[in-house]
Amino acid sequence: MNKLLIAVFFATSIAAFAQKQITVEDFTTKNTFPQKTVRGINWMKDGKFYSTLENNKVVKYDITTSKPVEILVDGSTLSPQIDIQGYMFSGDEKKLLLQTSFENIYRRSFTANYFVYDLTTKTVRQLSAHGKQSYAAFSPDGSKVAFVRENNLYYVTLSDMQEVQVTTDGKFNHIINGTTDWVYEEEFSFVDGFYWSPDNKKLAYYRFDESAVREYNLQRWGKTLYPTDYRFKYPKAGEANSTIEIWIYDLASQQKVKADIGTEKDIYIPRVKWTANGNTLSVRRLNRLQNNLDILHINASTGAATLVLNEKSNTYIDLEFTDDLLYLADGKQFIYTSERDGFKHLYLYSIEGTLLHQITSGSFEVAQFVGLDEKNKTVYYTSTEVSPLEKQFYSISLDGKKKVKLSQAAGVHNINMSTGFQFYIDYYTTATRPTAVSLYKTKDNALLKVLESNDELARILDDYGFVAKEFFSLKAADGTPLDGYMLKPKNFDAGKQYPVLVYQYSGPGSQNVNNTWGGGHFFFHQMLVQKGYIVAVIDSRGTGARGEKFKKVTYKQLGKYELEDLIAGAKFLATLEYVDDSRIGIWGWSYGGYMSSLAMTKGGDAFKMGIAVAPVTNWRFYDTIYTERYLQTPQLNAGGYDDNSPTTYADKLQGNFLLIHGTGDDNVHFQNSVVLQDALINAGKQFESFYYPDKHHSIQGAKTKCHLYTMMLNYIQENL
């Protein structure tokens, strides 16, 4: 061997030896790859300061220097000492509401203890001594705090700490006041169901009667001699929902007025908010099929309703996506988002509901409505105008003119603007770099300071040989272009053939393929790449960022087009010379688990191996709001539920299949996996399954996650 070859051999060996190997522990029980960020930013009124929670202290920072100027409160020095887990300013910034003893219920719901800290007197008082509270919130003038306890609504007058009970009929699994039922919490994404009027005089609140909703029974195994039952109201597709009412309580008279939301009871009220007028409440009303939306203005004194805006769709109105509704301070106009022209855009209406004009337009989506600077009549937003894979930051005048692109670098920008819109923080990431957090001055768009660069993480990633995403495109069966990316081994050799694992989520409006660092199960995928696999991520039709037509093609037939596209993806990958076409696998979680289950059954032999974690296996088992939005009810569209159910095609299972679920999953019930297992057994199909006792949909816990990823790694190495 000549000296040159020897040198090359040793250099290669040293490089290979120097690259650290990723272990499951690195991203489960350890924190080897910490991506830092700037959390808990609370912009202060004067626009010159912000505050954050760090080391049990609420610290005030100067915006221009990003240096701390004052410790507003230190939980460890209070009497009693408080482990501050969250905080909120009163409107005049003279008081702080401190949250501690936080305890989760479901995904968003919780109980906690709250304390009120007076920044002037430096004194702290417990909000209530009668049991834990939920969702405590100051009145606009800071004189009162409202909260929910055990399904009833209360408020406390801070001058004398007198507690007033607004409702008395709250009862678990029957009546809910001031917060939401399970399905609203999960699918409409909120739990704080009460709202102070801007003049501090009234409280509007939700009342749910869930008496007619059927219960779902979770067995909790724990370590007791007998398991315990936990029953909660969960409306499955086609079943009865809660009956919703909106009430308005007048603090002075202690009288309540019921809002007139119509005679039809089988509806949703997904959003409630006050207008700038303290006597006008805005209520959004959806029909059960979620293809007809009304905006109602309620007279808070009488409960009378005025229909302001109506929007209809041939498919569904995606309120989770088009959620923005901003009432201007002058009380004369509001901004509303809609997909009415095929893409999500911003529209300006008069307070009476007359469309004045469209603010943004074009073949792209408004991704984030950042805010409106009313003084300068300037709207701020991010959009996909440059590419569906990116989010860029823009300003535009309220009349839809003078559009300016504020962000410059390619990638994804998420924006947090200060009170008064003088400054903004840009959370910026690309496929090759973790998130950088930077502070800008809005007026001249000048960078003031990088608050977090994540340079240390970048060095760690380099030590471990992390590889960058390589984007690719393929075509669906109908010619529609689809986006994807690959992670290839560091020492990739195009002359070799590699096994490929496809990861996908595929759910309506989701997006896994974009110009960002990381993504779902990213460290697990990087570990697989180190072990000689290619990981490919594909966004099928039905996913987001590419307009209404692309997203809503799956309407009434979830799974059909997504499966076609994943099979097209497998066929595309099989044509690549460096892919071993006999070793293509697929996996996913939740909706992705549904699709990997469907791919291994109805999908024929497209994939050699599949893993499904917490999958829906028939949409009849899932909740009303999510499922019926996309499929209508089972009574109206039985085929849409059964024609693309993995249980329907259990006898067609091919390849190696691993099914995983947590028995305590309150979202996608363990029932889904039990029914699929039963169908596979009856069909004489061999497969493997594993359950995690009492674990939720995320299969929580560092040690549990370590076990899960280790099991999946072993299964992939043995079967793909």
Side-chain angles (χ1 to χ4, degrees):
M1 184 181 293
N2 63 44
K3 292 181 179 180
L4 177 60
L5 287 176
I6 292 173
V8 170
F9 171 78
F10 278 107
T12 304
S13 299
I14 291 170
F17 181 78
Q19 179 181 304
K20 296 181 179 179
Q21 296 300 300
I22 304 168
T23 68
V24 173
E25 289 78 8
D26 281 324
F27 56 90
T28 56
T29 57
K30 299 179 182 178
N31 188 24
T32 305
F33 312 113
Q35 182 176 203
K36 296 179 181 179
T37 187
V38 179
R39 301 184 188 277
I41 291 290
N42 279 279
W43 299 103
M44 302 189 74
K45 286 174 59 178
D46 60 10
K48 298 177 181 178
F49 301 94
Y50 65 88
S51 66
T52 63
L53 177 61
E54 51 188 54
N55 301 318
N56 206 32
K57 302 178 181 71
V58 178
V59 184
K60 182 178 178 180
Y61 281 83
D62 183 284
I63 289 177
T64 57
T65 65
S66 296
K67 292 182 179 180
V69 295
E70 183 182 359
I71 295 174
L72 297 176
V73 61
D74 182 345
S76 62
T77 65
L78 296 176
S79 181
Q81 290 187 359
I82 297 173
D83 176 19
I84 304 173
Q85 296 170 304
Y87 72 99
M88 178 191 302
F89 280 101
S90 60
D92 59 9
E93 295 183 347
K94 293 181 179 179
K95 300 182 186 72
L96 281 170
L97 195 57
L98 307 178
Q99 180 193 96
T100 188
S101 304
F102 180 93
E103 187 175 356
N104 271 113
I105 303 174
Y106 301 120
R107 188 190 295 265
R108 296 173 179 86
S109 52
F110 65 88
T111 61
N113 284 319
Y114 289 89
F115 291 81
V116 180
Y117 181 76
D118 191 303
L119 289 162
T120 303
T121 63
K122 310 297 184 185
T123 56
V124 64
R125 293 178 292 177
Q126 186 173 3
L127 180 62
S128 174
H130 304 300
K132 281 189 170 183
Q133 310 93 51
S134 301
Y135 330 123
F138 281 112
S139 60
D141 65 0
S143 67
K144 300 174 181 67
V145 174
F147 62 87
V148 172
R149 181 172 56 230
E150 296 179 349
N151 288 10
N152 279 313
L153 179 63
Y154 300 77
Y155 73 88
V156 172
T157 302
L158 298 182
S159 60
D160 56 11
M161 299 305 290
Q162 289 298 306
E163 185 171 303
V164 177
Q165 186 167 353
V166 176
T167 67
T168 59
D169 59 347
K171 183 181 178 182
F172 180 70
N173 276 356
H174 289 278
I175 302 296
I176 303 171
N177 294 292
T179 182
T180 64
D181 66 358
W182 185 95
V183 72
Y184 267 60
E185 173 181 345
E186 179 65 28
E187 306 302 354
F188 288 142
S189 305
F190 74 102
V191 289
D192 45 346
F194 63 87
Y195 313 91
W196 284 104
S197 64
D199 60 8
N200 310 284
K201 295 178 180 179
K202 298 179 178 68
L203 272 168
Y205 63 93
Y206 279 83
R207 182 182 186 273
F208 289 77
D209 184 343
E210 55 178 357
S211 303
V213 180
R214 296 179 67 179
E215 292 180 347
Y216 186 79
N217 180 28
L218 282 177
Q219 279 194 307
R220 291 175 170 171
W221 304 97
K223 298 179 181 179
T224 58
L225 187 60
Y226 291 91
T228 58
D229 285 345
Y230 177 74
R231 296 179 178 272
F232 67 107
K233 299 294 182 125
Y234 184 107
K236 291 181 182 267
E239 297 289 307
N241 276 316
S242 296
T243 300
I244 311 299
E245 296 172 349
I246 304 299
W247 288 82
I248 303 162
Y249 174 81
D250 185 283
L251 275 67
S253 67
Q254 298 186 336
Q255 298 300 306
K256 301 171 187 175
V257 171
K258 184 179 176 181
D260 180 6
I261 56 175
T263 57
E264 174 59 56
K265 301 298 183 183
D266 202 7
I267 59 170
Y268 298 115
I269 304 295
R271 297 290 183 266
V272 170
K273 71 185 304 180
W274 288 94
T275 67
N277 183 337
N279 202 49
T280 304
L281 184 70
S282 173
V283 172
R284 274 174 273 185
R285 178 178 64 193
L286 268 175
N287 65 330
R288 176 146 181 172
L289 294 182
Q290 299 174 68
N291 54 19
N292 189 95
L293 172 72
D294 296 321
I295 296 180
L296 306 175
H297 284 175
I298 306 294
N299 183 311
S301 298
T302 66
T306 302
L307 177 63
V308 174
L309 182 148
N310 172 257
E311 184 174 1
K312 292 181 171 66
S313 171
N314 293 325
T315 53
Y316 58 90
I317 294 170
D318 192 348
L319 187 85
E320 283 290 275
F321 184 55
T322 57
D323 186 28
D324 304 300
L325 176 61
L326 174 70
Y327 286 90
L328 276 61
D330 63 9
K332 297 179 180 179
Q333 298 172 329
F334 63 87
I335 293 175
Y336 174 68
T337 51
S338 170
E339 295 178 280
R340 59 188 292 172
D341 73 349
F343 294 88
K344 177 187 174 184
H345 282 296
L346 299 167
Y347 295 81
L348 182 67
Y349 286 83
S350 73
I351 196 69
E352 294 81 17
T354 301
L355 176 61
L356 301 178
H357 59 262
Q358 187 169 345
I359 301 171
T360 61
S361 61
S363 299
F364 61 87
E365 305 275 16
V366 170
Q368 177 192 7
F369 173 37
V370 177
L372 168 67
D373 179 354
E374 294 192 46
K375 180 180 178 181
N376 296 301
K377 296 184 178 180
T378 302
V379 176
Y380 295 96
Y381 66 96
T382 63
S383 82
T384 62
E385 183 170 357
V386 170
S387 165
L389 306 187
E390 298 193 0
K391 286 197 295 184
Q392 298 290 337
F393 182 38
Y394 295 84
S395 67
I396 192 170
S397 60
L398 191 58
D399 61 9
K401 302 175 182 178
K402 300 178 183 178
K403 181 169 66 176
V404 177
K405 183 170 176 285
L406 299 173
S407 54
Q408 301 301 319
V412 170
H413 300 261
N414 289 297
I415 306 299
N416 183 354
M417 295 199 82
S418 69
T419 305
F421 301 93
Q422 295 172 278
F423 304 92
Y424 68 89
I425 293 177
D426 182 5
Y427 296 78
Y428 163 65
T429 178
T430 71
T432 58
R433 286 284 299 182
T435 300
V437 185
S438 301
L439 175 67
Y440 287 82
K441 187 175 181 180
T442 308
K443 185 176 181 180
D444 49 9
N445 204 32
L447 173 64
L448 298 179
K449 188 174 183 179
V450 176
L451 304 178
E452 178 55 63
S453 66
N454 271 307
D455 287 341
E456 181 181 353
L457 175 58
R459 288 191 291 270
I460 295 172
L461 300 177
D462 189 56
D463 290 343
Y464 279 84
F466 274 57
V467 297
K469 299 175 182 178
E470 295 184 19
F471 294 97
F472 65 89
S473 296
L474 65 129
K475 289 187 177 180
D478 67 349
T480 301
L482 305 174
D483 294 319
Y485 72 78
M486 292 185 196
L487 300 173
K488 296 177 181 177
K490 190 83 169 177
N491 57 351
F492 174 75
D493 182 348
K496 295 182 179 180
Q497 287 196 323
Y498 296 85
V500 177
L501 181 66
V502 174
Y503 171 73
Q504 45 68 49
Y505 178 76
S506 306
S510 64
Q511 188 179 22
N512 278 314
V513 182
N514 48 26
N515 189 11
T516 60
W517 183 82
H521 313 281
F522 187 64
F523 302 121
F524 178 59
H525 292 159
Q526 290 282 350
M527 182 177 65
L528 288 172
V529 168
Q530 275 194 350
K531 297 183 181 301
Y533 292 87
I534 291 175
V535 174
V537 179
I538 297 171
D539 277 344
S540 60
R541 281 173 290 177
T543 55
R546 293 179 56 178
E548 188 179 33
K549 182 179 179 182
F550 184 87
K551 178 176 65 176
K552 296 184 179 179
V553 69
T554 61
Y555 183 59
K556 295 176 68 174
Q557 45 192 352
L558 291 182
K560 172 180 167 61
Y561 293 111
E562 301 95 310
L563 180 59
E564 289 180 6
D565 294 351
L566 293 172
I567 292 173
K571 290 179 178 178
F572 165 79
L573 293 167
T575 65
L576 302 176
E577 293 184 359
Y578 51 82
V579 169
D580 184 343
D581 61 4
S582 68
R583 299 173 67 195
I584 300 176
I586 187 169
W587 93 280
W589 196 310
S590 193
Y591 199 106
Y594 160 64
M595 287 311 306
S596 55
S597 300
L598 197 59
M600 296 303 294
T601 51
K602 188 180 180 183
D605 62 354
F607 298 96
K608 179 185 178 183
M609 182 222 72
I611 299 175
V613 183
V616 172
T617 62
N618 189 307
W619 288 106
R620 293 175 184 270
F621 299 141
Y622 202 54
D623 73 57
T624 49
I625 293 177
Y626 183 93
T627 311
E628 294 171 11
R629 180 187 302 152
Y630 308 118
L631 287 177
Q632 298 186 340
T633 64
Q635 294 87 339
L636 292 174
N637 181 28
Y641 284 78
D642 300 329
D643 292 348
N644 291 290
S645 165
T647 57
T648 303
Y649 303 95
D651 63 335
K652 298 184 182 301
L653 176 70
Q654 297 188 52
N656 303 302
F657 182 53
L658 173 60
L659 182 59
I660 302 168
H661 218 122
T663 67
D665 193 335
D666 64 278
N667 183 3
V668 179
H669 301 150
F670 183 48
Q671 173 189 23
N672 283 272
S673 287
V674 170
V675 171
L676 178 56
Q677 289 188 37
D678 191 46
L680 291 169
I681 291 166
N682 288 331
K685 295 295 182 179
Q686 293 297 316
F687 63 99
E688 293 188 31
S689 65
F690 196 91
Y691 63 86
Y692 284 95
D694 298 330
K695 295 303 179 182
H696 303 159
H697 192 54
S698 62
I699 307 184
Q700 74 279 15
K703 290 183 178 179
T704 304
K705 286 281 177 65
C706 185
H707 184 280
L708 168 66
Y709 285 115
T710 300
M711 177 173 59
M712 291 199 298
L713 171 64
N714 292 338
Y715 191 81
I716 291 165
Q717 290 183 307
E718 292 168 5
N719 294 283
L720 185 63

